[in-house]
Amino acid sequence: MKRRYKFTVRNQSRTGIRSSILGVISLLLTGGMVGAAYTEYGQAGKPIAVLGLLALLLALTGLYHGVRALGEEDTYKGFPYAGCMLNGLVLMAFVGIYLLGMGG
């Protein structure tokens, strides 16, 4: 019989995993939104705008969960950091899209 030893009481943060999943989903939605707008020469319409708004809300929610997960004790911090980075990347993309829209 094989014995397994665990020398730590830390576990993966469920909130951090949730943040990472929301980050991946919002990144995919944002990429799809930008791709669809590019193929339609900027005239993609309301359905793409709704997807963009959904991606923005998911990124904000994911960033909130990521920051909360970073404050948890006795948990690994890999997923919370990844979630914060992914969601921050999506939010920076939206800021960039907004600034490009203001200049054009």
Side-chain angles (χ1 to χ4, degrees), residues 9-42:
V9 294
R10 294 194 295 175
N11 294 317
Q12 293 293 343
S13 169
R14 290 179 187 244
T15 310
I17 294 170
R18 187 178 307 125
S19 171
S20 296
I21 290 171
L22 288 174
V24 168
I25 292 171
S26 63
L27 190 64
L28 290 174
L29 283 175
T30 303
M33 176 197 70
V34 169
Y38 181 76
T39 58
E40 296 293 324
Y41 302 103

Side-chain angles (χ1 to χ4, degrees), residues 62-80:
L63 187 63
Y64 170 75
H65 285 296
V67 170
R68 273 188 48 210
L70 286 173
E72 293 177 358
E73 293 183 13
D74 295 332
T75 58
Y76 293 109
K77 303 298 182 197
F79 280 111

Side-chain angles (χ1 to χ4, degrees), residues 96-104:
I97 291 168
Y98 177 75
L99 291 176
L100 285 173
M102 293 291 289

Side-chain angles (χ1 to χ4, degrees), residues 47-64:
I48 300 302
V50 170
L51 285 180
L53 181 62
L54 178 65
L56 180 65
L57 292 175
L58 286 175
L60 288 171
T61 304
L63 187 63
Y64 170 75

